[in-house]
Structure formats: C-alpha cells, structure tokens
Amino acid sequence: MISQNFKAIVLDLLRQGRLDEEAFWQGMSETERDADGTWERWSAKDHIAHRTFWRQNLIRKLTALLQHQDIPSSDEDEEHLNATTYGKQQKRSASEIQADSERTYAELFALTEQLSEDDLTSTRFPKISGEHPLYTTFLGALYEHEQEHLAQYYLDHNDLPKAIEVRERCASRILQAQVPQWVKGWFLYNLASFYTQQNQLEKAHALLLEALTSAPELEERSKSDPDLAALRGK
C-alpha cells in the first residue's frame, strides 16, 4: 500500500494553480487583460474574479473549521451566486482582480498549512466536502474547477489546442499523484466529458473506459449524463 501525504499533494496543487494563473495573465496583452466580457462569453478577468470568489468561500469555511466554529452554509443557488459575483466584479480592473486573487491564494496557503492529515482525510465536514474526504474539495471544487475556467477562456477565444493543453495537464497532475484510483477515475471521467463536448469521440470513449475501470461507481451516472450523450451506443 502506498503512503499518501494529502497535505503535500494539496499544497502542491495550490502552488501549481497559482503558477498557472500567473502564466495565464502573462500570456495576454494589457488590452486582453482589461477587456470586458459578457455573461455569455466571459473575459479573462471575469474568469479570475469567479475563481477568487469560490476560493474566498472555501477560506470562510476552513477558517470556521480551524476555529472550531459552525461551518457556514448557504441556501443560495450557485447560478445566482455566480451571476451576482459577475455583476459586482465585471467593471473592476484586471489589476484589482489580480491583487484579490493573489491575496486569497496566500490566505488559502496559510490555512491549508494548519490542516492536519486527519482533517484532510476526514469525512466529518459535509458542509465543505459532502460525503467525501476533505482533500477532495481541494482537488475537485478548487483545483479542477479553476482549471476548467482557464480552458473555457481559451475555448471562447477559439484556441482549442490551448484548452486541451490545460485540461490534459490538469488530469495528468492527478494521475501522477498518490491519490486513490477512484479519484483518478473522476478526473478521467471529466476529461472524457470535455473531449465529448469537443466532438473528439474516439479519445473520449477511451478515456471513459479508463475512468470506469478506476471508478466503477460512475458507470450508472455515465448512462444518463447529458455531457456524454454523443458517446451512447459506442
């Protein structure tokens, strides 16, 4: 049995995510950084502001956890929260949004350093990670979610090769990490969904088979998942 150090894995993914964001900013002109988007086609700063909002949400919950307080929960619909955040942040400058993002990364690093291995592998924080261990929130709701937004920006700007690079790199980091097979299966499943949406069905089908081998519990979901509709019957 492999020895797993989830704290090291989580901290490394946080570092990688921050570096990816820095490279994202550096890869565009000042005009592109400050461009305004629309609700249908977000700008670079729209995506970063959204990522920052959900990072702040996790920070609030982890702060409560570490202070042994009730973890805050919200009954607000995620779509409503996203729309509200978009409206508040849309006209701010890229430099302001970038500064907020850097600050929240620093806060999250500091909080994560305080978590124990027992905290990260525990399932006793359902308001953060549902029925799964706490570390899965860092891998999925944080890291993968943030990578998806970088990829979506490239898709919206007709750069499919760059979007593929982002999504492949995201999955590769998890596949190379010492995490359970079912976690790797989730990431392979989501990568299969991505390729299905890009109509690259042979690649998607191979990834889905690999995902279901690692995480058989996803098979039932795959039968009705609208993102995989094009694969049905293959």
Side-chain angles (χ1 to χ4, degrees):
M1 182 176 177
I2 59 175
S3 175
Q4 295 163 318
N5 184 339
F6 290 103
K7 187 169 181 177
I9 293 168
V10 165
L11 287 170
D12 182 60
L13 288 176
L14 277 175
R15 279 189 286 269
Q16 295 290 346
R18 193 193 70 76
L19 290 172
D20 290 341
E21 183 174 299
E22 184 178 321
F24 175 71
W25 281 122
Q26 291 178 349
M28 61 184 68
S29 66
E30 186 175 349
T31 299
E32 290 170 321
R33 290 189 200 106
D34 272 317
D36 289 333
T38 65
W39 177 248
E40 294 75 23
R41 188 173 183 268
W42 287 11
S43 68
K45 61 191 179 79
D46 293 333
H47 282 288
I48 301 303
H50 173 90
R51 287 161 43 119
T52 300
F53 170 81
W54 287 105
R55 208 177 300 134
Q56 290 168 330
N57 186 61
L58 180 56
I59 286 169
R60 284 192 293 272
K61 292 178 178 181
L62 291 178
T63 299
L65 184 161
L66 289 164
Q67 294 178 352
H68 306 289
Q69 298 173 350
D70 287 339
I71 296 172
S73 60
S74 174
D75 294 327
E76 287 190 77
D77 178 78
E78 279 192 16
E79 190 69 14
H80 175 72
L81 284 171
N82 290 339
T84 301
T85 300
Y86 176 85
K88 289 179 178 178
Q89 301 288 331
Q90 185 188 20
K91 295 302 180 181
R92 297 181 70 211
S93 71
S95 59
E96 292 175 313
I97 287 171
Q98 189 174 13
D100 281 350
S101 180
E102 282 293 317
R103 176 181 52 78
T104 58
Y105 264 125
E107 289 180 14
L108 192 52
F109 274 119
L111 287 170
T112 305
E113 287 281 12
Q114 297 177 56
L115 295 171
S116 68
E117 197 72 10
D118 180 63
D119 289 331
L120 287 166
T121 56
S122 175
T123 58
R124 65 180 184 273
F125 308 115
K127 289 185 179 179
I128 302 179
S129 55
E131 63 184 12
H132 301 293
L134 180 60
Y135 75 84
T136 62
T137 291
F138 287 88
L139 272 57
L142 181 68
Y143 173 66
E144 186 179 33
H145 173 237
E146 293 197 344
Q147 295 292 316
E148 286 170 348
H149 276 275
L150 297 186
Q152 187 61 50
Y153 175 84
Y154 292 122
L155 286 175
D156 289 342
H157 289 77
N158 304 309
D159 193 345
L160 178 59
K162 191 66 175 178
I164 288 174
E165 178 187 329
V166 171
R167 293 302 301 261
E168 286 279 357
R169 183 179 61 216
C170 172
S172 177
R173 285 173 179 162
I174 299 302
L175 295 177
Q176 293 174 25
Q178 290 189 337
V179 297
Q181 283 300 118
W182 62 268
V183 174
K184 296 180 181 184
W186 286 8
F187 278 76
L188 289 166
Y189 183 97
N190 291 339
L191 188 58
S193 297
F194 168 78
Y195 274 112
T196 304
Q197 291 158 30
Q198 307 315 314
N199 203 35
Q200 296 192 21
L201 301 186
E202 287 190 14
K203 178 73 170 177
H205 184 246
L207 285 165
L208 181 60
L209 291 178
E210 192 176 351
L212 298 182
T213 299
S214 295
E217 69 275 11
L218 292 174
E219 184 170 4
E220 196 61 35
R221 173 181 167 184
S222 72
K223 294 176 182 177
S224 58
D225 189 336
D227 289 341
L228 296 175
L231 286 183
R232 299 276 201 269
K234 278 188 71 68

